[in-house]
Amino acid sequence: MKKLAAVVLFALAGTAAAGQRGDYAQEWPLRLAREDGGAFRVVLSEAIYRAAHDPSLADIEVFNAAGESLPTALLGPEGASAQEWPRQTLDVPWFLLPPAAAADTADWNLRAERDAAGRVLRIDASTNGTATTTAAPRELLLDLSQIHAPLAALQLDWADDAAAFQTAITLSASDDLQHWQRIGDGLLADLRNGEERLRRDRIELGSARAFRYLRIAANAATLPPLRAVRAEAAPPPPEPEWRWLSVAGEAVREKEQIWYRYTLPARIPVRQLDVRADAGNSLATWVVASREQDKSPWITRAGPWTGYRVASGDSVESSTPQQLTAPVRDRDWRITATPAPNAPPSLVLGYRPEVLVFLAQGEGPYTIAAGSANARRRDAPVTPLLDALRQRHGADWKPYPAVPETGRTLVGDAALVAKQPPPKPQDWRGLTLWIVLVAGSLLVVAMALSLLRKKPER
């Protein structure tokens, strides 16, 4: 199995696309579910679909921090299904603070020595300039500055023979070790009754935003001697099975016929569609067609079918969306209706987002870029890699999620302008050959004329 994985990884390493970040309009930093995941999957967001320019989504690539294109392949929506991921735990640097530090008073002073990355190297705590003792610590400082993934909980590990205790705790957070805010409460306990034991060593962090530093203050008892503190990464966000995009249209009149035109703002793979008239009861026969370019013929995608909307009291009954036989990425759509509504209806399109799988190479952070009239991704043979890993980890294994964060502009609209091909270099060898041939032909003609002008000897 190791040999197979090595062969697949070697093959993937040589198939990265040749695009560059400077060829793309936009990019999105990727937040990894775990740093050492190896292979990752990106569920394409609507923003990425909006930025894509190529009908086949070939202008989407993943880059590392050095700007190198990574081995990538576009897979169908089945790769986006939710899965219970193994919980990732990370060791957290921790520091016990003296007893006086636990008191929430104005004369409490905390001095920390940090490196350039924000990592805490040493802690000094004092009250009114006097160093405190560490006989009975009741407060803990955690350094989360090097953890970039969102956290769900903290796990405290202490010796099994520690004295029994129970205490409420207060959680405070800071980004600079000077300004603190209270973010929650919890409970720690290690109780015994004969052979029975109740141990509570887990602190839920809830939905609080990520902070660089965290303080845990015991309110009613001293903390037991700790062996380790671990942070549990938050699970990836749930991924929706279906997403919907509503598009407004405009009326177009051709002779006696009225139809409605729609331009899709994104290259989504449409698999369902519906037509919704303005609020109120409606009944019409709809036909929906699409095409990629203005001069292309219209292709009927759904219909004719009878669509309706009937409101009765607090309930609304409506017709079901139409299913398409295959995904459609066309940008130009039209609707014809009998009878024609008073205003253009909304075209509602349903799709399941596709998945871009990539192999992590080089240093992060990694980004996904989209939107280019010049760069094209070459899909890597990712399938053999996934098959090998599924044989090792189980049939339900999937690459770890990589979630696109807030996007930023790279080149912008300039990336959507096709570059003119460079002029072909002049073939001087061919031109020289033609000159020689023409000169030779002229020489032959001249010789022939010279012979004809000579008078014949008698």
Side-chain angles (χ1 to χ4, degrees), residues 148-446:
H148 305 292
L151 301 179
L154 297 171
Q155 189 86 26
L156 275 61
D157 181 22
W158 56 78
D160 292 336
D161 58 355
F165 78 98
Q166 177 179 344
T167 179
I169 59 171
T170 300
L171 298 176
S172 301
S174 172
D175 286 327
D176 57 8
L177 287 174
Q178 297 182 15
H179 303 88
W180 296 85
Q181 69 178 84
R182 182 170 176 172
I183 63 171
D185 302 288
L187 178 69
L188 295 176
D190 193 350
L191 305 176
R192 300 173 183 85
N193 182 14
E195 297 297 328
E196 302 296 329
R197 184 176 185 180
L198 174 62
R199 179 171 173 142
R200 186 180 178 88
D201 54 11
R202 177 183 170 87
I203 304 173
E204 299 287 345
L205 296 181
S207 58
R209 75 171 181 88
F211 289 92
R212 294 170 64 85
Y213 309 102
L214 197 67
R215 269 170 42 199
I216 302 175
N219 300 338
T222 59
L223 292 172
L226 295 177
R227 295 185 297 194
V229 178
R230 298 181 181 88
E232 185 178 291
E239 296 158 351
E241 284 292 316
W242 285 94
R243 296 177 181 173
W244 296 88
L245 178 64
S246 180
V247 185
E250 60 178 357
V252 178
R253 179 178 294 274
E254 286 184 352
K255 298 180 180 179
E256 300 299 325
Q257 184 182 15
I258 296 179
W259 53 279
Y260 306 94
R261 186 169 185 172
Y262 303 80
T263 301
L264 266 62
R267 288 286 187 189
I268 59 174
V270 179
R271 290 302 302 264
Q272 296 188 56
L273 60 85
D274 198 3
V275 179
R276 298 177 184 173
D278 289 341
N281 298 333
S282 62
L283 176 65
T285 300
W286 309 104
V287 177
V288 179
S290 71
R291 63 184 180 185
E292 175 58 29
Q293 299 177 351
D294 288 344
K295 297 182 179 180
S296 301
W298 290 102
I299 301 175
T300 300
R301 301 300 181 183
W305 87 93
T306 301
Y308 61 87
R309 182 183 185 278
V310 180
S312 177
D314 296 333
S315 64
V316 177
E317 300 289 340
S318 59
S319 52
T320 58
Q322 300 297 297
Q323 306 286 333
L324 305 188
T325 57
V328 178
R329 297 190 195 277
D330 293 344
R331 282 285 181 87
D332 203 7
W333 292 70
R334 79 170 184 182
I335 294 176
T336 57
T338 307
N342 297 327
S346 296
L347 176 61
V348 183
L349 304 170
Y351 67 99
R352 295 180 62 196
E354 293 151 300
V355 177
L356 204 68
V357 176
F358 71 93
L359 183 69
Q361 293 179 344
E363 296 294 329
Y366 304 107
T367 59
I368 181 171
S372 177
N374 304 288
R376 290 294 179 268
R377 180 190 70 255
R378 294 194 300 269
D379 280 343
V382 169
T383 302
L385 170 63
L386 300 183
D387 291 341
L389 292 175
R390 287 191 183 99
Q391 291 179 13
R392 183 174 182 179
H393 299 288
D396 293 334
W397 179 89
K398 293 183 179 66
Y400 281 92
V403 181
E405 297 189 315
T406 303
R408 56 196 178 210
T409 300
L410 286 176
V411 184
D413 293 340
L416 305 180
V417 179
K419 297 178 181 178
Q420 296 298 326
K424 293 183 178 180
Q426 184 67 43
D427 188 359
W428 293 107
R429 290 179 301 176
L431 180 60
T432 303
L433 179 60
W434 276 106
I435 293 174
V436 171
L437 290 175
V438 171
S441 300
L442 294 175
L443 180 60
V444 171
V445 171

